[in-house]
Each structure stands twice: as structure tokens, then as C-alpha cells.
Amino acid sequence: RNIDGKAWTKVNPNCGSTSFVVPDLINGQEYFFRVRAENRFGVGPPAETIQRTTARDPIHPPDPPIKLRIGLVTKNTVSLTWKPPKNDGGAPVTHYNVECLRWDRTGEVKESWKQCNRRDVEETKFTVEDLVEGGEYEFRVKAVNIAGPSRPSATVGPLVVKDQTCPPSIELKEFMEVEEGTDVKIVAKIKGVPFPTLTWLKAPPKKPDDKSPVVYDQHVNKIVDENTCTLLIQQSRRNDTGLYTITAENNLGTASKEMRLNVLGRPGPPVGPIKFESILADKMTISWLPPLDDGGSKITNYVIEKKEANRKTWVTVTNEPKECIFTVPKLMEGHEYVFRIMAQNKYGIGEPLDSEPETARNLFTVPGPPDKPTVSSITRDSMTVNWEEPEHDGGSPITGYWLERKETTGKRWTRVNRDPIKPMTLGVSYKVTGLIEGSEYQFRVSAINAAGVGPPSMPSDPALARDPIAPPGPPIPKVTDWTKSSVDLEWTPPVKDGGSRVTGYIVEFKEEGKEEWERVKDREIRGTKFVVTGLKEGCFYKFRVRAVNAAGIGEPGEVTDIIEMKDRIVAPDINLDASVRDRIVVHAGGVIRIIAYVSGKPPPTVTWSRDEQVLPEEAKIEETAISSSLVIKNCKRSHQGLYTLLAKNDGGERKKTIIVDVLDVPGPVGMPLLTENLTNDSCKLSWFTPEDDGGSPITNYIIEKRESDHRAWTPVTYTVTRQNATVQGLIQGKAYFFRIAAENIIGMGPFTETTKEILIRDPITVPDRPEDLEVKAVTKNSVTLTWNPPKYNGGSDITMYVLESRLIGKDKFHKVTKEKMLD
């Protein structure tokens, strides 16, 4: 337990021996300990320590001091110096004891070591006094701590005590560096007997030979003790920097030592004047020279401040510049500003340098537009845009460019680069990526200088985003016609266009026997046909065609045959216009127009006919150099038929037949037109189809009626597609006329009327047979008969009865009565 506590703490779980090292104690804490023995019956009573024990490392006497040296010796004193022991024995050395031994070479006096110091020596130096002049001595030193004195150090001597003479010597640092404002002590160790006269001199850092005596005052003072001379500079300043020399002189000689003192502090002001390198409406670029005095430390940065000329408050602009030039931004146009600059090192900010007042304004303008850019190195997703810098830079160097693009189908220009493109000495080029394959682009460029962005250039020629292209392959030409002085050429485009659309063709010819090919035109031919004229009759020629695309002129394709210049005989050929073909259908009243393209050499004669007979009087023939047309205006059904075109020349003849159908309304229905009374409110009509259906099937028959005493016709409302119809809704006892017209898709034909009226009434038939015929009386020459009327009189009153008889065995009945019999 510690001495302040009352509770005992068990230290070990078990211990079989009679000694134990107690761990985990607190250094410097005082403890009591107790021990109890234990056997199988239990733990015995404790035995306690009586004295308190401090936990600390073991303490021993220190090692002896080292490097004992003899210093100044006079006739009755000796100065000693030494170094502390390497090991202090675990406790600090509290003091030293210095001992001396006087030698007695006569042997009369017993030699013994005696302590020289009357009080404890706490420093590592001591001057032994009261020595006998001429005596011979040895010296040693012991170190003492709380454990006791050490063994004595190695001895120095023997030494004869007497006055020594020696020339001056000086120990002084060669260099010292201090911070401005601190006290400086330049300490020089002096030796020399007799003690020398001391003088301090100072020279500027860059003029070491320009030495002058140090002037002593409240700022600089000289302190001299028994073996040192100190030059004390209080509150050091930058101008205290210099080369300091101390000179020691006695009758045996002179010694001197130099020391360079560098007082580090804030830098001086920059060297002016402040120059305005560029002046704009919103910024100015200023420059200056570094300070002559950097404060003895590297300039780390410059602090720039500004204020408006009519104000007193300074505003910090920046503290980041490391070079002697800076552009001050965010100025207001027309305002007058004053700037000041201060250098800064690690010791602080120096004195300022002020500028002259200057007004924020533009001294130059924006640059002009660059020339029209060009496009190269085209791929499917990138292009390289090239341009030259503008002729006029606006009075300020070009600092960059903005590049814009747009699709030719759009109107909006989009900026390509995030940061301005840096100018180059031999033209500027920039690779634009992220393009869409197959899209066509234009580019324009704007130059930038200190005044801003200039107007854009003219847009570049449109460029299609696609992979690199090559000249196209050869076309396939052929001669389609010729005369004695001209040749008609046609060709099919090349199979391979080289990755670029063919923009035109070059046609060339060569007369047989000549080497050079001649172009037929200076410019490219756009189509795939061309007539070469101006050739010589009777000469033989070769022809070839070359395709052109954006990559250049391709390989030639040659006509395989050599063409002789003479008139050509070609049999006639007839091609009908696409609107005609082999059959045409025209509505009556329309126009029959048959256009035929006739070719042949020499030009053929053309003859038209209808059904192998002459044309109708209404037919007109119109002819051109390449066609013959037959025209019939306001045509009729009678104009239909088989029209034939015959073309003849020296090469043969060619015939073309065209079927012409003229559609019209149907003709009148066929006669006779019959009526039949059916009931007291209906009748039946029947007729024949028209002889002429108008060239189109009959789709309907239109029936109209009128009463015999009326003039107005009334339509019958239902549709009829056959050649008979039953008309209902008639009035009994009325007499009616009827008329019928046929109808097709063209329209309705003429009406055909009934020739006589029909009376509407019930229909009349013969009556049924009489009923219940009986013989009532018989004589030799007469028979009396009776009967009843028939059950149905046939729709009309019985007007008479007819009586007939026959002989048995005969087949034929004979009328018996001659007069009208009503009974």
C-alpha cells in the first residue's frame, strides 16, 4: 500500500521463493510492503516493512568528471575547466570538489591531496588561489550526488605556478543569423598575458574592406570580463547586418577575428516606378522590380492593394503573386485608381511602393474576324479545323480563339471548346470530336484579345462527317446513237463511289491514230447522258467517261467499240406513252388522246387508221420530232374501235395497235314493251334489254308512271335489275301510261313509253262450270233440263249459258242453242 492509503493490495498470485520483484509501481511514490506465509492449513500473520520505500531507479555515486584542463596560470592562481561525468549515477550532480597535490622533491614534507574549494563548486570551472609561487602542483576533480562523491578524475600537472606571458588569441564564431528585434550577443573568447586591448570594427556586407570603429551607445555596447569580450546589440535592426571584426593587442602581438552578422527581417519596398503594362476598362496589368533589400530571407510573395484616387481606404487585391507582374481584375471603367505593392518574406510584410493614379479604360479594340476556316482530316466522328489569325489584332495581341459549329440543317451555333484555344505561330488547328456520322457541319472562329471577343469568321464550307474517301471507280459507258458528226453516250455510275457521292463526270474522246484524249467540256457533266458533237465525218473515235467525287477524279471507263462517224439507219420503234399502254377507256364527251414516241433513222413516216379504215372526221393528228399523237375531242360511242399506228423508213416498218373503248349511257330498252293487269292496284311490265349497253353493264332500270289524264311523270321507287317488274300502289279504275330507261355507271339512257294506256281493275277469267245439271222431262223430240249457276263467275257477271249435246257413241259435242240463253 502507498503511505497515504489504508487498503492493502495483493501483489502476486503465488510465490514459492523468499524474494519477489514488485512490478507496476509509480515512479516517486512511497510504499509499505508486507509478506504472509501460506500452507495447506491457511495463511499466517503478516510481517511488515518498518520504513517507507520510494519507488525509483537505484542511485550510485557518479562517474568521475572528464576532460580536466588547465587555463590561465599566474604566480599564485591556476584556472581549471572540466566536463560533467557521462553517468550521474541515477541522481543529478549537485556540486564538484577540486583537490590539489603539491610536490615536494626534497621529501621533507608529506605529500597529500587537499581540497581547494571552501564552498561547493556548482560550475565546471574553478580558479585555485593562494598557491605558492614556484611550487609544483597536480590537480583533480570529484563529482558529488546524493549517493556521495565519485572517484577522482584523471589528474593534470605537475605544473610550476608562475606568471605566464603569451600573445593574444581570439575564439569567435564566423557567422551569426538573428531575427530583427532580438538582442544580439557577439561573444569573443580572449587569451593573452598581459590581457590585450580590444577594439571592435564594422564593415558593410558588400564592402568588407570599408571598416570603421563601432560607435557605442544605448543600442550597441561592449562588455569585457576576465577572458571574454561581448558586443551587445539591443533590439537589433536590419542595418546592424555587417562584417564585425575584433582586434586584440598586447606587447607580444596582435590578433583579430571576423564574424558576419545577418539580421533577418521584413523586406524593403519594391523598386519603382510601378509600370502599367496594359490598361483595359475592367483590368490593368502592373509590373515592378524586386526590393533592393529582401530582409535577408527569400521573397515569398507580394501583397497588392488598391484604392480609388479620391478615397482614403486601401483594399487588398491579392497576396498570391510571386513574380513582379500582376493583372488587377474587377475594375470599374472610368474610375481612377492608385496601387501599392509590398514585398513579403517569412518575417513579415515590408514597406509599400505606391503607383501614380491611372484611369481604367480601353486603349484598344477587339480583333477582327479570322479568314474563312478550312476542314481537313475528316472521319465519321471528328474533323480538324484550320485557320489563320486575323489581319487586325485590335491593338492587343491575340490570346485565344473560340471555335463554334452547327449542322447545315440547323440555325444555332454551338461553342466547341471550353477554354480558349491558344494561338500558334504558323496557323491554328483544332480537332473537333463527338460528331454524328452522316451529318454535315460548318465551323466559324472568333479571336480574343485583352479587349474581348471579336466578330466571327465566315462559316467554313459544309463538311460531311464520314470516314476518309477515295476517288470513285470507273463508270460503264455505251454509245446509244450516232450521226455523221455526233455521238450519244450513256453510262451507269461506278460500282464503288470511294465513300463519297459522285458529283459529276468527265467525258473524253480520242480520234484513232492520236495519243491524247480530249475533254468534251471544261466543266463536269451532272447527268449520265451526253451528246458529243463536232466530230469529223468518216473518222473513227474512242470514248471514255471518268467519275468525280470529293476525293478527286476516278479511273476511266471506256466504250469497247470504235465508232465510225456516218449516218445510222435504225428501223422504226414505237413506244406508247405511259398513260396509253395497249388499251384506253374514255367517257363519251371526253378526249381520246393517243401519244406514241416514234424513233428511227431516217425519221419514219407515220400513218394512223381505225379498224383498218380511215379515221373519223373528228380525229386530229399532232406531230413533233419524237412523237405522233391522235386526238379526238368530245368523243362519241361511235369513235371506239381498234386504232393502228404504222411507222415506215428505209430500215423497215413497225405497227402498234391500241384498243379504244368509249363509255356512254345505255340506249333505249328493247321493244315490245308489254303491260299486264294483275290486280285492282297493280300491273306487270316486261321489256327487252337495250341493243347498246353504252360499253358498260346495265346496273338498273328506271320506271316512271303517269295517269292518262295527267302530264307529269312519277318515279316508281324500287330498283329493278331484270327485264320485268310489278308496279304496285295503282288506283283501281284509273288508266296509266308507263316509261322505262336503262342505267349504267355512266348514267341513264333515253326513256321508252307504252303505246297505249292500261286500265287498272280486277282480272277477268272464264267462269267455273254450272252446278247440279238434271233432266226433268223427256218427250219423243225434246228434253227439259235444269242447273244451278257456277260457284265462281270468273270475276264478271254471267252473260249467257251455252248448251251442248252429243249422241251416244260419238265423241264431239254440238251446240244446241242459237240464241242468248240467260235462264
Side-chain angles (χ1 to χ4, degrees):
R1 68 177 176 86
N2 60 41
I3 61 172
D4 298 325
K6 295 182 179 181
W8 290 90
T9 303
K10 189 174 182 179
V11 173
N12 64 310
N14 50 49
C15 177
S17 63
T18 56
S19 64
F20 184 75
V21 177
V22 180
D24 302 327
L25 301 180
I26 300 172
N27 186 30
Q29 183 71 52
E30 294 180 327
Y31 294 92
F32 287 108
F33 300 92
R34 71 181 185 182
V35 182
R36 295 195 292 175
E38 183 179 16
N39 63 12
R40 62 193 180 93
F41 295 106
V43 180
E48 297 185 18
T49 56
I50 301 172
Q51 293 182 342
R52 62 184 67 183
T53 305
T54 303
R56 63 182 180 186
D57 288 335
I59 299 175
H60 305 285
D63 288 351
I66 58 176
K67 296 184 179 180
L68 177 61
R69 299 285 188 269
I70 295 174
L72 183 64
V73 179
T74 66
K75 63 183 178 181
N76 54 10
T77 64
V78 173
S79 296
L80 300 175
T81 60
W82 60 88
K83 297 291 184 184
K86 292 182 179 180
N87 182 11
D88 61 4
V93 173
T94 57
H95 62 277
Y96 297 93
N97 290 326
V98 181
E99 296 179 346
C100 68
L101 172 66
R102 182 178 178 184
W103 283 31
D104 183 9
R105 297 189 182 278
T106 62
E108 295 177 356
V109 180
K110 185 179 178 181
E111 295 180 350
S112 62
W113 289 93
K114 295 180 181 180
Q115 186 170 320
C116 304
N117 53 307
R118 297 185 180 86
R119 64 177 184 276
D120 295 341
V121 179
E122 295 179 355
E123 297 179 345
T124 56
K125 61 181 179 178
F126 183 73
T127 300
V128 182
E129 299 177 343
D130 300 328
L131 299 177
V132 178
E133 185 177 4
E136 196 171 2
Y137 293 87
E138 258 185 287
F139 301 92
R140 68 184 186 185
V141 182
K142 293 180 181 178
V144 182
N145 65 7
I146 59 174
S150 68
R151 292 177 289 106
S153 68
T155 61
V156 293
L159 171 69
V160 177
V161 178
K162 60 179 180 179
D163 278 335
Q164 295 178 344
T165 58
C166 64
S169 66
I170 303 172
E171 291 184 19
L172 182 65
K173 287 183 180 179
E174 293 184 355
F175 181 75
M176 181 183 293
E177 194 170 72
V178 297
E179 188 173 346
E180 185 178 16
T182 59
D183 292 342
V184 180
K185 291 182 179 181
I186 303 175
V187 180
K189 293 184 179 180
I190 309 299
K191 290 182 180 180
V193 181
F195 194 79
T197 302
L198 302 174
T199 305
W200 285 97
L201 303 173
K202 178 185 175 184
K206 296 182 180 180
K207 297 179 180 179
D209 296 331
D210 189 10
K211 297 179 180 180
S212 59
V214 174
V215 178
Y216 304 112
D217 52 20
Q218 292 181 350
H219 178 58
V220 181
N221 198 8
K222 181 174 73 171
I223 302 172
V224 180
D225 60 12
E226 61 182 40
N227 62 351
T228 61
C229 180
T230 302
L231 186 66
L232 176 62
I233 304 174
Q234 296 180 341
Q235 297 292 313
S236 59
R237 307 168 189 158
R238 272 290 293 160
N239 57 12
D240 291 326
T241 299
L243 187 66
Y244 288 85
T245 304
I246 183 170
T247 302
E249 184 178 358
N250 65 9
N251 55 4
L252 296 177
T254 303
S256 65
K257 281 279 187 177
E258 292 181 348
M259 189 201 77
R260 187 174 297 276
L261 174 64
N262 191 10
V263 180
L264 304 177
R266 297 179 301 170
V271 176
I274 295 175
K275 293 182 179 179
F276 291 90
E277 301 293 341
S278 72
I279 299 173
L280 292 175
D282 60 344
K283 58 186 175 182
M284 297 187 196
T285 301
I286 55 177
S287 65
W288 60 93
L289 295 176
L292 297 176
D293 180 12
D294 62 2
S297 177
K298 181 182 177 181
I299 301 295
T300 57
N301 59 283
Y302 291 92
V303 178
I304 301 175
E305 295 179 346
K306 71 177 180 183
K307 76 178 181 72
E308 293 190 30
N310 57 355
R311 297 190 178 182
K312 296 182 179 180
T313 305
W314 290 94
V315 179
T316 301
V317 174
T318 182
N319 59 0
E320 295 180 356
K322 293 179 171 51
E323 305 297 329
C324 295
I325 188 168
F326 183 76
T327 299
V328 181
K330 298 181 181 179
L331 303 180
M332 298 181 67
E333 186 173 5
H335 287 224
E336 192 175 41
Y337 291 91
V338 177
F339 302 94
R340 72 179 182 183
I341 303 167
M342 295 159 282
Q344 183 174 1
N345 61 13
K346 68 178 182 178
Y347 298 105
I349 300 172
E351 293 298 315
L353 169 67
D354 290 2
S355 74
E356 294 295 326
E358 187 57 73
T359 302
R361 64 193 188 280
N362 280 329
L363 300 178
F364 35 78
T365 60
V366 296
D371 290 338
K372 178 179 175 181
T374 60
V375 180
S376 62
S377 303
I378 300 174
T379 69
R380 62 184 177 184
D381 61 355
S382 67
M383 299 180 189
T384 299
V385 185
N386 313 286
W387 66 91
E388 300 291 337
E389 65 178 35
E391 293 184 6
H392 304 289
D393 61 5
S396 175
I398 301 297
T399 58
Y401 296 92
W402 290 123
L403 177 60
E404 296 175 299
R405 80 176 187 209
K406 81 173 182 71
E407 294 187 34
T408 53
T409 56
K411 295 182 179 180
R412 185 177 178 182
W413 288 92
T414 304
R415 188 173 287 177
V416 171
N417 50 314
R418 288 185 178 179
D419 300 319
I421 300 168
K422 294 182 179 179
M424 304 177 189
T425 53
L426 299 175
V428 186
S429 60
Y430 186 83
K431 185 176 182 180
V432 181
T433 58
L435 303 180
I436 300 172
E437 185 176 4
S439 295
E440 202 169 32
Y441 292 91
Q442 286 181 291
F443 299 90
R444 68 181 187 183
V445 184
S446 302
I448 308 169
N449 67 4
V453 182
S457 68
M458 291 288 292
S460 68
D461 293 331
L464 187 65
R466 61 185 174 192
D467 284 330
I469 57 176
I476 305 171
K478 65 180 180 178
V479 174
T480 58
D481 197 5
W482 67 88
T483 68
K484 61 184 178 182
S485 62
S486 66
V487 168
D488 291 14
L489 286 176
E490 287 187 13
W491 56 89
T492 55
V495 177
K496 295 182 179 179
D497 62 3
S500 173
R501 180 175 59 86
V502 173
T503 58
Y505 297 90
I506 296 173
V507 177
E508 297 174 315
F509 67 90
K510 181 174 74 169
E511 187 177 346
E512 192 175 37
K514 292 185 178 180
E515 294 295 329
E516 293 184 359
W517 289 86
E518 297 182 38
R519 281 194 183 187
V520 299
K521 282 185 73 175
D522 293 336
R523 294 181 298 173
E524 299 168 10
I525 298 166
R526 297 298 179 189
T528 56
K529 295 180 180 180
F530 190 75
V531 178
V532 183
T533 59
L535 303 176
K536 299 175 184 178
E537 184 177 0
C539 293
F540 291 85
Y541 288 92
K542 284 186 176 182
F543 299 90
R544 70 180 186 182
V545 182
R546 306 170 76 178
V548 181
N549 67 3
I553 302 173
E555 293 294 319
E558 291 193 21
V559 177
T560 55
D561 298 329
I562 298 175
I563 307 301
E564 181 183 1
M565 291 294 99
K566 63 180 181 179
D567 284 332
R568 180 186 179 199
I569 297 176
V570 178
D573 189 20
I574 301 173
N575 291 301
L576 295 178
D577 188 75
S579 63
V580 178
R581 299 183 181 176
D582 295 331
R583 183 188 189 99
I584 63 172
V585 179
V586 184
H587 290 184
V591 177
I592 298 174
R593 188 184 300 276
I594 304 173
I595 303 174
Y597 297 100
V598 182
S599 62
K601 292 198 175 182
T605 57
V606 177
T607 306
W608 289 88
S609 63
R610 186 189 72 166
D611 298 332
E612 297 184 355
Q613 296 179 5
V614 296
L615 294 173
E617 293 181 359
E618 296 87 355
K620 303 292 182 183
I621 306 298
E622 298 176 354
E623 293 189 348
T624 68
I626 61 170
S627 68
S628 178
S629 302
L630 181 144
V631 180
I632 302 177
K633 296 181 179 179
N634 197 18
C635 63
K636 304 173 185 176
R637 281 279 289 165
S638 59
H639 291 147
Q640 69 181 10
L642 199 63
Y643 286 81
T644 304
L645 171 63
L646 178 65
K648 286 184 178 181
N649 70 359
D650 295 341
E653 67 178 38
R654 182 74 181 269
K655 183 185 288 186
K656 198 75 173 181
T657 301
I658 305 99
I659 299 171
V660 177
D661 287 331
V662 179
L663 302 182
D664 201 355
V665 297
V669 296
M671 298 299 287
L673 174 56
L674 302 177
T675 61
E676 182 183 355
N677 193 15
L678 290 180
T679 67
N680 60 2
D681 65 349
S682 66
C683 71
K684 181 179 179 182
L685 304 177
S686 59
W687 60 91
F688 291 95
T689 57
E691 292 181 3
D692 182 10
D693 62 1
S696 178
I698 303 299
T699 58
N700 188 28
Y701 291 96
I702 297 170
I703 303 173
E704 294 183 350
K705 68 182 180 181
R706 74 175 177 86
E707 296 176 15
S708 60
D709 56 351
H710 288 70
R711 301 182 67 182
W713 291 93
T714 304
V716 177
T717 57
Y718 52 83
T719 301
V720 178
T721 58
R722 295 178 294 178
Q723 285 79 46
N724 59 74
T726 298
V727 181
Q728 296 180 341
L730 303 177
I731 301 171
Q732 185 176 358
K734 290 280 187 181
Y736 289 91
F737 285 97
F738 296 92
R739 68 180 185 181
I740 301 173
E743 186 178 24
N744 62 10
I745 60 171
I746 304 302
M748 186 176 69
F751 282 100
T752 300
E753 295 185 21
T754 55
T755 56
K756 62 181 180 178
E757 63 185 22
I758 180 173
L759 182 64
I760 303 302
R761 63 182 179 179
D762 283 335
I764 300 173
T765 62
V766 294
D768 288 349
R769 67 184 182 179
E771 300 286 332
D772 304 328
L773 176 63
E774 293 181 2
V775 177
K776 291 295 187 181
V778 176
T779 67
K780 63 179 181 180
N781 58 357
S782 68
V783 174
T784 300
L785 302 172
T786 63
W787 61 88
N788 288 325
K791 291 182 179 180
Y792 177 61
N793 63 7
S796 181
D797 293 337
I798 300 297
T799 58
M800 64 180 290
Y801 292 99
V802 178
L803 183 61
E804 293 177 331
S805 68
R806 72 176 174 89
L807 289 175
I808 299 300
K810 297 291 183 179
D811 292 328
K812 190 172 181 181
F813 278 92
H814 295 278
K815 189 174 180 182
V816 175
T817 56
K818 292 182 181 180
E819 65 277 0
K820 207 172 190 180
M821 184 173 60
L822 293 174
D823 293 338

